[in-house]
Amino acid sequence: MSTETPPSRADTVVIGAGAVGCSVAYHLTELGAEDVAVIDQGPLPVTGGSSVHAPGIMFQTSPSKIQTKAAHYTSRLLSDAGVYDEVGGIEIARSEERMDFLRRRKEWATSYGLPEPQLLSPEEVTEHLPLVDEDEILGGYYSPTDGRVDGISALQWYMENSSASFYGNTEVTDLDVSGGEINAVETDQGRIDCERAVIATNNWGYQTGQLAGLDLPIAPVEHQYVVTEPMDELDVETSVGDNTTGLDVPGDRSIAEYMSEGPHQPVGRDQDHSLYFRTHGNALGLGSYNHETLSVDPEAMGKNTEEHQASVRGFTKKHWETPSHRGRDKSAKQAFDELLPATQDVDYEATENGIFVFTPDGMPAVGETAQVEGLWTGLAIWWTHSGGYGRILAEWMENGTPRLPSGPVDTGGIHVRRFEPHAGEKDYFVDRGAKRYEQVYSIVEPRWQPDDHRGIRTSPFYHQQKELGAEFYQSGGWETPQWYESNSDLVERYEDQIPDQDGWQGINRSKIEAAEHLHTRDKVSMFDMTTFSSIMVEGEGSQAFLQRVCSNDMDIETGQVRYSLLLNDGGGILADITVVKLDDEEFMVTTGGGNSPGIHGGHLEDEAPETVSVHIEEGAKSTIGLWGPNARLLLQRCTDEDVTNEGFPYFRAKQMYVGDVPVIALRVSYVGELGWELWTPTEYGQRLWETLWEAGQDLGVRPMGGGALSSMRLEKGFRLWGTDIDTDSNPFEAGLPFAVDMDTEFIGKEALETARSEGIDNKITPLTLDDSTDIMLSGRPVLKDGEAIGYVQAGNYGYSIDESIGYTYVPSEYAEAGTSVQIQCEGETYDATVRDEPLFDPGRDRILK
């Protein structure tokens, strides 16, 4: 640990010496990075950030695989360091709905490899947590390796075991950014020239980003915590009073003292009332999200003073004693009094409204920023995941592949580049962060949709879609129809092919989705693809550039379309793309919507040489997928071009007119039917819709939503990035060897050669349920002889094949068609069978006709 003035230069500067910053520095130096400097505005190790006022409770189980994996790595790292109390964690249920939720947690834990997850009876809960009133609960979920990290000791351990240099009381005043890259970090102790920097300031993440001209959507929020006076029921020795001796502690020392006192019982959560608790020696700590959201202006976080830590606000008694959370009918105190009767009349020795942060989607913001080369972020991360994300970020920075020791990880859901262009507007991300706070312990339904900040991004077809009764879901800020009420008449037509979908799996679904699926297979449908992205790649050396970044052969003719992958250095799948050659050294690359433009487009921008222009056309084109047996008849009515199979073969493209609308037409289909994607400048979009709609009425043209797309693509085994394929998997595991040409040179080839020579241990495969029409949900374990061998990546009902489908990766020895397995979902165990793919139209007769 350093105390002298920071250096004038360092290879890497980490801004923030809390849980994340220290973890990043530790892991960077472990991987061989030299000359790493860590700076913080507060004293070390008690900086005044959220890492030192947090109670350190660590519950590892999450519906997110990367969150669970990062948490488990963190618990093992800090346990080995001797700064983690592995007392176990128990989440209790006070309602039947919560008990169902705890069954889901056990299934997620089983899928993602947490040790020995268990469901407990009320009696078993109180054996571990004797202060809990057994009559108040229905049961619990127990994860034996959950526990608590000693925050201050963990920071000290990082500092003592890293070759990085640490400097406290050093405030960042500016970031020197020019030429699109980071050059230096300016501080009140002087300038530090650097080649790269990491923003790990969490609560100050927005303010730090502003110094580099970035609008990082990091929303600070208060939540409450109290520590009781010593309780007779907790008859253990305590070190309170000695825990922080000799340390410089800003603000109320009692908070740091109690947070440094470890538990002797499992940490607990009462999510039905947005509460959590743990022992602090002979006292009890009580935490609450059970109040209205107390958002903090991200530009007014402030600094340490003698009176308070910068990340701690004054305790507001009214939020403790008066119900104010929109989803809770009892106050925190009332709910605790019922659950833990011994706390009813105790006084509190320490209180705080502590601050932590949320992004608009509640996930971390990790990775290199798109706008500034060499400027990385590690934000919106709690102690629970800090060790794991520090390792992931360090591997990414040093070796080009984000990974944990267990293997590569999928960064699509945490990448700082995933945010849509409007996400940095302060009212937007503060409001969305407030909603995520409100949902921290809420049971969020499948396919839940927000009701605020809607209608931000709409396609040119939006008004037609509204008139057709579109049920809009929001994706990347876009309003995207999931189904259309105008198609409700189709439900009766296909009634005998649409099974009921009840229970949790059926929430926020409509039979209209199934009807649209079946109608598209019979007639023709129009699908709004405006959220999908086109990326124009032009200029001298464009083909050579694409050859370097694409896994497939890019030596293609004008008018040819080629499916390919973008890989990282480790051979993981960054994206699947379609490349269209429009002319010599002029290409259009198409990929998905959502986070694709920022992540995938940004990757191409980063890799492009100076002679190649990469232009991400997010929102610049509107696109219609025209699919179904009557698609050719409809399109031919609207164009003079020859769209016969001979005149317009599969995986070819033409620049042509549809009516008077100029389009780039691609003969490709994501649903396994004859069809085209029609790309046109946005200003022509409405006319394109009208032209096709009017010409196709007698052919049965209908609008089709995202629900039908999901089930149709799964029947065909077409991959969806971020769901079936991601940086977690390589092309051979993902069943995409046809998208790789090993005779070409491309990023990730060396890793693929190694993987192929070592053998492919895991393979993707479809499963179908043997005797049920229930829909399987992602993240649910796939079992063989009672042992987890994989988990559901994606599930839906195949209405054309009349079977429930789940896709999973399993060890290669279980991937043979006919293998019997089981799937656990919503507390039930389903028999299932491994199948060959594709499940629908294996000869591709429909798509090639």
Side-chain angles (χ1 to χ4, degrees), residues 358-377:
F358 288 91
T359 60
D361 60 11
M363 292 292 283
V366 179
E368 188 175 20
T369 63
Q371 300 89 337
V372 182
E373 183 180 350
L375 184 61
W376 296 72
T377 64

Side-chain angles (χ1 to χ4, degrees), residues 61 88-91 99 102-103 105-107 109-110 114-121 124-125 127-128 139-146:
T61 310
I90 296 177
E91 304 174 40
M99 201 66 216
L102 297 185
R103 294 185 185 97
R105 294 189 79 73
K106 182 176 183 293
E107 291 169 359
T110 302
L114 291 184
E116 300 179 20
Q118 304 164 40
L119 292 175
L120 304 181
S121 68
E124 290 170 322
V125 170
E127 287 175 11
H128 292 285
Y141 163 69
Y142 179 46
S143 175
T145 56
D146 286 353

Side-chain angles (χ1 to χ4, degrees), residues 369-684:
T369 63
Q371 300 89 337
V372 182
E373 183 180 350
L375 184 61
W376 296 72
T377 64
L379 297 168
I381 299 168
W382 301 1
W383 262 118
T384 304
H385 314 99
S386 57
Y389 282 123
R391 175 64 181 262
I392 289 168
L393 189 56
E395 290 274 7
W396 206 346
M397 294 173 69
E398 281 295 291
N399 301 318
T401 303
R403 61 184 299 121
L404 290 168
S406 57
V409 297
D410 169 29
T411 55
I414 63 168
H415 204 308
V416 69
R417 298 187 184 189
R418 74 185 184 277
F419 299 111
E420 53 269 13
H422 60 269
E425 196 278 318
K426 194 164 70 168
D427 286 343
Y428 175 85
F429 73 75
V430 168
D431 289 348
R432 282 293 169 89
K435 186 64 178 180
R436 293 300 175 180
Y437 172 89
E438 186 179 289
Q439 292 179 326
V440 165
Y441 283 172
S442 298
I443 298 175
V444 181
E445 296 177 342
R447 296 165 294 281
W448 169 85
Q449 290 291 298
D451 56 13
D452 65 336
H453 296 281
R454 298 299 299 264
I456 298 175
R457 309 175 83 182
T458 61
S459 81
F461 323 132
Y462 181 66
H463 294 293
Q464 284 100 331
Q465 291 165 341
K466 287 183 69 175
E467 291 175 1
L468 291 166
E471 178 68 22
F472 289 105
Y473 280 20
Q474 195 173 73
S475 174
W478 290 97
E479 297 294 338
T480 62
Q482 190 72 359
W483 67 82
Y484 293 84
E485 288 296 331
S486 61
N487 289 329
S488 60
D489 63 302
L490 295 175
V491 174
E492 184 176 355
R493 180 184 304 173
Y494 294 107
E495 186 175 11
D496 61 340
Q497 295 174 254
I498 305 175
D500 291 332
Q501 302 293 346
D502 299 320
W504 190 250
Q505 295 101 310
I507 291 176
N508 294 326
R509 288 185 180 274
S510 170
K511 288 189 174 182
I512 298 174
E513 298 170 83
E516 291 176 358
H517 169 137
L518 293 165
H519 173 83
T520 304
R521 295 258 187 254
D522 284 346
K523 301 289 185 179
V524 61
S525 293
M526 292 164 54
F527 179 78
D528 181 4
M529 294 180 59
T530 300
T531 60
F532 288 51
S533 301
S534 59
I535 303 166
M536 301 304 297
V537 178
E538 303 172 88
E540 182 182 350
S542 293
Q543 185 155 318
F545 159 63
L546 287 172
Q547 185 64 76
R548 187 172 65 84
V549 296
C550 290
S551 62
N552 214 337
D553 184 7
M554 288 297 110
D555 185 12
I556 56 179
E557 303 171 354
T558 298
Q560 194 170 353
V561 178
R562 179 142 292 168
Y563 178 78
S564 184
L565 306 171
L566 304 179
L567 307 179
N568 62 22
D569 291 333
I573 302 172
L574 282 171
D576 64 331
I577 60 174
T578 300
V579 179
V580 186
K581 186 170 184 178
L582 300 176
D583 205 342
D584 290 344
E585 307 291 20
E586 181 184 0
F587 298 84
M588 183 173 78
V589 177
T590 72
T591 184
N595 56 18
S596 291
I599 297 176
H600 307 150
H603 174 73
L604 292 176
E605 286 183 322
D606 289 347
E607 296 292 335
E610 291 185 0
T611 60
V612 174
S613 167
V614 175
H615 178 55
I616 304 168
E617 295 188 314
E618 189 174 13
K621 287 191 173 77
S622 56
T623 311
I624 292 175
L626 185 68
W627 298 316
N630 291 343
R632 177 176 286 120
L633 290 173
L634 174 50
L635 184 58
Q636 192 65 81
R637 288 180 179 182
C638 304
T639 183
D640 293 332
E641 288 288 333
D642 181 1
V643 297
T644 63
N645 197 40
E646 296 75 20
F648 202 153
Y650 187 55
F651 257 63
R652 300 292 295 190
K654 288 186 178 184
Q655 298 185 63
M656 64 187 209
Y657 293 95
V658 174
D660 34 356
V661 175
V663 302
I664 299 174
L666 281 57
R667 189 174 164 198
V668 296
S669 169
Y670 193 50
V671 298
E673 293 293 334
L674 172 68
W676 284 262
E677 294 177 4
L678 305 173
W679 297 73
T680 190
T682 296
E683 65 269 23
Y684 290 103

Side-chain angles (χ1 to χ4, degrees), residues 179-337:
E181 60 185 12
I182 185 74
N183 299 303
V185 176
E186 303 275 4
T187 80
D188 60 355
Q189 303 295 315
R191 175 186 173 94
I192 310 174
D193 292 323
C194 62
E195 295 179 5
R196 59 188 185 183
V198 181
I199 299 176
T201 50
N202 231 32
N203 295 346
W204 292 266
Y206 177 77
Q207 288 178 284
T208 311
Q210 290 285 288
L211 299 177
L214 306 179
D215 296 323
L216 298 174
I218 309 297
V221 183
E222 300 178 34
H223 90 291
Q224 298 192 299
Y225 197 81
V226 305
V227 183
T228 70
E229 63 186 351
M231 299 175 62
D232 293 339
E233 294 84 353
L234 300 173
D235 186 19
V236 296
E237 294 185 3
T238 179
S239 300
V240 172
D242 300 322
N243 289 322
T244 61
T245 300
L247 297 179
D248 184 358
V249 178
D252 183 357
R253 183 176 289 268
S254 67
I255 293 173
E257 274 292 323
Y258 276 107
M259 296 310 169
S260 297
E261 188 70 12
H264 64 282
Q265 295 178 359
V267 296
R269 287 206 287 203
D270 171 15
Q271 293 173 288
D272 281 313
H273 295 91
S274 297
L275 307 175
Y276 63 96
F277 54 95
R278 78 163 176 93
T279 57
H280 297 256
N282 61 5
L284 191 62
L286 310 173
S288 169
Y289 300 95
N290 187 352
H291 52 77
E292 64 182 337
T293 306
L294 302 173
S295 296
V296 177
D297 184 345
E299 296 184 273
M301 270 301 303
K303 306 175 185 178
N304 293 325
T305 69
E306 291 185 3
E307 292 74 29
H308 71 273
Q309 293 181 21
S311 284
V312 174
R313 297 291 191 266
F315 182 73
T316 48
K317 186 177 179 181
K318 67 176 182 179
H319 291 111
W320 188 256
E321 298 182 350
T322 305
S324 60
H325 189 294
R326 290 194 298 178
R328 305 285 179 254
D329 58 0
K330 298 176 182 177
S331 69
K333 184 174 186 339
Q334 181 182 356
F336 270 131
D337 286 350

